[in-house]
Amino acid sequence: MSVKQLKTMYPLSYIEPLFRPPSEWKSLILQVTNGCSWNKCTFCEMYTGENKKFRPKKIDLLEQEIISIAQSGLPVSRVFLADGDAMMLPFKRLKEILLLIQKYLPQVNRVSSYCLPRNLTNKTVEQLSELNKLGLSLLYIGCESGDDEVLALINKGETYQTSLIALQKITAAGLKSSVMILNGLGGPELSQQHAQNSARLMNEAQPDYLSTLVVSFPLGMDRFSAAFDGAFRLLTQAELFAEMKALLTELELNKTIFRSDHASNYLVLKGILGRDKTKLLAQVEQAIEQPENTNLRSEWQRGL
Ligand SMILES: C[S@@+](CC[C@H](N)C(=O)[O-])C[C@H]1O[C@@H](n2cnc3c(N)ncnc32)[C@H](O)[C@@H]1O
Ligand code: SF4
């Protein structure tokens, strides 16, 4: 559903732009915060607009919005809490929001949100488990990489260890985790260590979902490449496939739904890992050896 459709369907006033994971296309987007509380990752321009300065929405306003959605009678079974890291809200506020959703929209069976590892530092497993019981079921974590050198260069403000602790907390609380890793993020020089350490992080954390996107810079890459001292360049298609091969080779997952189908990818991959590892690796190898015989997205079909 586009923002335009959402606005027509639901009586909500969004501060745009609005982002949500592709799999939340059917969900009602409830903008409980505006912007991102960190907003310093050098590859991300999603919340850099003047109107996107971070601010939580007042609870009274949220209650009014939820009531008007309930009164509209429109079907809502899933809710996505926006914007960039709604999980930065304190436990108490998140609980209030979930209770309002339960009260006015009792048919909702899934609430999800983006989440930064640091959003969970001051939340205990018990508190997360309480939020889970109140309906919060899935958190999307942009780990982006498991390599500390890459994480420092992109100014994620997180490390292998902080990401792992957060992912383990999520699992311990009974919540599901969906991790995003960015292909091409370390440029050619750090490509192999980016792939290997990202796989190591995933193997230790065993997330429920894993998706890979290709880092892209529709607004230019000066801010991003500055940290690399001019040594960064985008990976070629062949290099991206080689990085994906390294990642898949190292992944030892028990039951993770793997998706590399975001519009930024040239090669669409979908499967369950470990079950489909051999099949997925064969698809990547074919793309490396015979790109002309592989179904790849053209440049114009790609996007963020
Ligand atoms: C809207 S952001 C919110 C995620 C959340 N704040 C986090 O960092 O965990 C969702 C994801 O979009 C992806 N993204 C952001 N900028 C991107 C870019 N320039 N190229 C590719 N993917 C990007 C990153 O994987 C990021 O985690
Ligand atoms: S990737 Fe996430 S944490 Fe980083 S600036 Fe973008 S929204 Fe914020």
Side-chain angles (χ1 to χ4, degrees):
M1 225 179 293
S2 68
V3 176
K4 203 170 159 201
Q5 283 169 311
L6 274 169
K7 280 167 81 173
T8 330
M9 279 182 74
Y10 301 110
L12 296 172
S13 55
Y14 290 122
I15 305 175
E16 293 179 52
L18 199 64
F19 297 97
R20 49 131 184 93
S23 49
E24 297 290 336
W25 67 277
K26 278 187 185 167
S27 307
L28 166 76
I29 314 291
L30 202 57
Q31 202 168 31
V32 301
T33 60
N34 180 37
C36 161
S37 71
W38 173 246
N39 217 13
K40 290 182 194 159
C41 302
T42 54
F43 61 87
C44 177
E45 307 284 351
M46 288 177 161
Y47 306 107
T48 48
E50 269 305 307
N51 63 338
K52 296 302 294 183
K53 294 236 157 65
F54 181 78
R55 197 152 53 99
K57 190 176 275 178
K58 291 204 166 60
I59 195 74
D60 304 354
L61 199 56
L62 266 176
E63 180 164 16
Q64 278 168 27
E65 284 193 348
I66 297 172
I67 291 174
S68 57
I69 292 158
Q71 285 171 345
S72 73
L74 287 159
V76 182
S77 57
R78 291 177 172 191
V79 175
F80 178 75
L81 306 178
D83 274 341
D85 66 333
M87 286 301 293
M88 75 75 58
L89 292 173
F91 164 73
K92 225 176 110 207
R93 173 54 54 90
L94 287 165
K95 187 173 165 178
E96 271 177 297
I97 294 171
L98 293 169
L99 285 169
L100 288 175
I101 295 172
Q102 269 196 348
K103 180 172 171 189
Y104 297 110
L105 302 168
Q107 73 283 14
V108 167
N109 55 36
R110 178 173 113 169
V111 182
S112 54
S113 168
Y114 283 131
C115 173
L116 281 171
R118 76 175 67 78
N119 295 160
L120 304 187
T121 313
N122 294 325
K123 295 181 181 78
T124 64
V125 171
E126 290 68 32
Q127 288 175 329
L128 290 173
S129 167
E130 196 175 333
L131 297 179
N132 178 227
K133 289 190 184 83
L134 292 172
L136 182 71
S137 48
L138 173 63
L139 296 179
Y140 295 89
I141 305 100
C143 289
E144 329 298 2
S145 179
D147 185 72
D148 282 342
E149 197 176 344
V150 172
L151 287 167
L153 285 166
I154 64 168
N155 203 21
K156 186 79 203 180
E158 302 288 352
T159 62
Y160 180 102
Q161 201 52 30
T162 61
S163 306
L164 179 63
I165 290 170
L167 290 169
Q168 288 177 332
K169 238 181 190 180
I170 292 170
T171 307
L175 288 153
K176 291 204 185 303
S177 57
S178 181
V179 172
M180 291 159 281
I181 295 287
L182 286 186
N183 219 197
L185 197 58
E189 249 179 61
L190 304 178
S191 177
Q192 286 299 307
Q193 70 187 63
H194 167 48
Q196 280 162 9
N197 288 321
S198 300
R200 204 160 55 84
L201 175 62
M202 294 303 96
N203 294 347
E204 248 192 283
Q206 297 286 327
D208 298 282
Y209 301 88
L210 168 61
S211 58
T212 61
L213 295 79
V214 172
V215 70
S216 327
F217 301 97
L219 301 179
M221 52 193 255
D222 290 353
R223 183 166 77 114
F224 182 81
S225 37
F228 286 77
D229 288 332
F232 181 85
R233 70 161 170 79
L234 289 172
L235 295 192
T236 62
Q237 214 179 69
E239 287 168 337
L240 283 169
F241 298 153
E243 188 174 290
M244 179 57 79
K245 183 177 171 182
L247 176 75
L248 279 172
T249 304
E250 296 293 326
L251 282 175
E252 293 299 340
L253 298 171
N254 302 327
K255 197 168 172 241
T256 296
I257 296 176
F258 175 73
R259 291 279 179 271
S260 185
D261 58 349
H262 181 268
S264 58
N265 293 288
Y266 290 101
L267 175 66
V268 172
L269 298 167
K270 293 180 195 184
I272 297 176
L273 288 171
R275 192 192 72 185
D276 300 327
K277 180 167 170 171
T278 312
K279 186 186 87 183
L280 292 169
L281 267 172
Q283 284 175 257
V284 178
E285 272 154 18
Q286 147 133 16
I288 293 172
E289 285 154 27
Q290 301 175 313
E292 64 290 354
N293 295 328
T294 309
N295 193 9
L296 299 176
R297 277 200 186 114
S298 308
E299 224 35 88
W300 65 269
Q301 293 171 305
R302 297 178 62 235
L304 247 194

